[in-house]
Each structure stands twice: as C-alpha cells, then as structure tokens.
Amino acid sequence: MNHLVPCLSFVVGFWTGGISQNSTWMTEQHDHFRIFFQANDRPDIPDYLVMISQGIQQTSAFFHEPFSQPFDVYIHPNRLSLDSTWQSDWGMPEFQSECWMVASGVAAKLDLMAPRTWDSLACEHRYDDSLSTQQLITHELVHVFHGQHHPSPDFSTINGIDWLIEGMAVFVSGQCDPSRMVAVKEALRENNLPGHLADFWSGKLRYGLSGSMVMYLDHRYGRDQLYRMLAITDLTSLLSELGTTEPKLLEEWRKYMEQM
Ligand SMILES: [Zn+2]
C-alpha cells in the first residue's frame, strides 16, 4: 500500500505501441499496464514482465475479477530513485527508506526497485529466491487491485485496518507459508500475541498475523464477502459488516489457528 501522486520529473513520451524514450525513462505499453524503466534495466525487463503477468493472473483469479483500471509499473534503477519517488508521492521530503523496503503499490501505480539490485541494495530479499520474489511482486499487485476497489485509492484515509490491507496482500500472494504459520501458532501457544487487531501489522510476526487473519476471514465468510471487504475503510465498518466484535473475531481466529 502507501500513497501516490505524481512521480519524479519525467515526461511521458509519445508512443505508438512500441517503446518510447524520454530523457531517462523508457516506456512499454502492455495489457493492463505501462512499464517504465531505465536503460540499464532493459535486459531484465522480460523476466520482470513474466512475474508481473503471473501476479496479475493470480490476483484476478483469486477474486474472480480483472483489474478494473490500467496502472503504471516503475522499475527503479536504485534506492535513490525509489526514495525520491516516495518522498514526492508521500509529501515527506526527508524520507529515507529502510533496507528491506523495495516496493509499494496503490491503485494507479506499482513502484519496484529493480529486483536485480536487491542483493546489493536491499536486505531480507534475494533476487534468486524466485518464489519469494514472485510473491513480493504479487503482494504489491494485490495492493494495486485493492486500491482500485477502495474509496481511497492510495489508502490514505483508512482507520484501524492496516492489517486487513497488508493481510489481503500477504494471503493472496501466497506469503502465508508454513514457516510463518508455525511461528504464529507458537506465539499463540505462548500466549504472546497482540490483543488488538490494530497491532497485527507490527513486529516480526506481522506477515503471519495479518495474513492468517485474512485467511480466516476467507475461510469463515467466503470469497464473495472477502471481495466486498476490499471497499472497507475502517475497523468499525468491518465489524458491523461481519456482525461481530473485535474480541469475538480474535477468539474465533485463535480457535481456527489452533486447529490448523
Ligand atoms: Zn504490503
């Protein structure tokens, strides 16, 4: 997730279906999206396109719905490029990303530090871990899809549902892997988990906690209801829609996880 608005200072060139180039960015038009990249990344673009297409297919198949709007994908050549975009988009001129931050997604745009650079410019991510790389790209595409079905396309006006937005991306992308689920179950056994949903997207278990809660919602309420949850903006509305309370939801999720 995160926020959007204009990006860097570039001029979109005119193109007629092929590649166009302005001062720094080259552009290709594809089904559903345009991809922007710089010259050094051009040799890797075909590999990135395969993963982006796979992520689009996986997300659309999960929700039984296509992406509703076209969007842009930026392949940033380095962290400086990614940071300057986020500084501009988020109105935070001093922002410096953490080493594990490599991508963001909102309704109109996916920003991605070129995966080829992760080994040298990022921590916690390796380009040659192809499954994790695919899942990360799919995760951001779920945010794009989510933003296209949300009243706040850049998620700037959500309240108490960070865990839902992140959990949706974690679950749909396949990041609820066995190791993350085992870690959550262990924490459950030790009674060492947050008592409020607002704290699910925090700490080292945030992927497992948020993802497993969305997994539970999908299991308990069904895919159609999960699809409708994409438009939810705040926790009170979510609980009302589900006809439950936060303590009850947490207790049912706990039982579900214990039986997994
Ligand atoms: Zn995310």
Side-chain angles (χ1 to χ4, degrees):
M1 63 176 186
N2 284 322
H3 316 279
L4 105 141
V5 182
C7 164
L8 297 175
S9 51
F10 68 91
V11 178
V12 177
F14 296 99
W15 69 91
T16 56
I19 294 177
S20 66
Q21 184 169 8
N22 55 55
S23 56
T24 52
W25 292 98
M26 290 186 277
T27 309
E28 284 181 21
Q29 179 74 47
H30 291 270
D31 286 348
H32 305 296
F33 66 94
R34 292 181 302 182
I35 187 166
F36 293 77
F37 55 93
Q38 299 194 5
N40 284 348
D41 292 313
R42 189 170 185 173
D44 297 313
I45 294 302
D47 291 340
Y48 299 161
L49 286 171
V50 169
M51 291 188 278
I52 293 165
S53 296
Q54 166 64 24
I56 289 172
Q57 283 175 23
Q58 187 172 331
T59 305
S60 301
F62 181 91
F63 288 110
H64 311 294
E65 279 283 331
F67 283 66
S68 61
Q69 303 155 32
F71 57 93
D72 291 338
V73 176
Y74 282 84
I75 306 296
H76 293 275
N78 50 48
R79 187 165 293 283
L80 188 65
S81 173
L82 186 66
D83 277 4
S84 65
T85 295
W86 283 343
Q87 289 161 1
S88 168
D89 288 2
W90 304 343
M92 298 169 68
E94 306 298 320
F95 180 81
Q96 298 290 317
S97 59
E98 302 288 334
C99 64
W100 50 268
M101 298 176 177
V102 294
S104 65
V106 291
K109 188 157 73 98
L110 188 166
D111 284 293
L112 179 67
M113 197 163 81
R116 173 77 67 190
T117 69
W118 292 356
D119 293 356
S120 57
L121 301 181
C123 58
E124 300 183 22
H125 305 290
R126 290 190 54 81
Y127 180 47
D128 61 5
D129 182 347
S130 54
L131 176 61
S132 296
T133 299
Q134 176 67 66
Q135 288 173 340
L136 189 148
I137 290 172
T138 304
H139 175 120
E140 299 305 333
L141 286 163
V142 176
H143 286 326
V144 173
F145 186 95
H146 197 160
Q148 294 185 357
H149 292 77
H150 197 273
S152 175
D154 62 354
F155 307 112
S156 57
T157 57
I158 58 170
N159 188 5
I161 57 160
D162 294 40
W163 62 271
L164 178 66
I165 288 165
E166 290 300 341
M168 201 75 81
V170 169
F171 178 50
V172 178
S173 67
Q175 290 174 318
C176 278
D177 56 35
S179 65
R180 286 194 170 111
M181 296 302 94
V182 165
V184 170
K185 285 163 73 76
E186 274 177 16
L188 264 173
R189 271 195 297 276
E190 293 164 6
N191 212 17
N192 188 23
L193 285 176
H196 291 282
L197 287 162
D199 297 322
F200 266 41
W201 184 249
S202 63
K204 64 183 172 60
L205 295 180
R206 64 189 186 282
Y207 277 80
L209 288 172
S210 301
S212 66
M213 179 56 82
V214 173
M215 183 191 294
Y216 167 69
L217 293 174
D218 186 52
H219 167 81
R220 167 68 178 80
Y221 297 95
R223 191 62 49 87
D224 290 348
Q225 179 70 276
L226 199 70
Y227 177 76
R228 288 194 291 276
M229 286 180 211
L230 292 172
I232 293 281
T233 59
D234 62 276
L235 183 59
T236 305
S237 303
L238 175 70
L239 296 171
S240 168
E241 174 89 11
L242 300 179
T244 190
T245 63
E246 184 175 6
K248 199 170 156 192
L249 183 59
L250 285 167
E251 182 55 29
E252 289 175 351
W253 164 79
R254 173 185 285 267
K255 284 182 194 156
Y256 170 75
M257 290 301 290
E258 284 170 352
Q259 290 162 7
M260 257 180 84

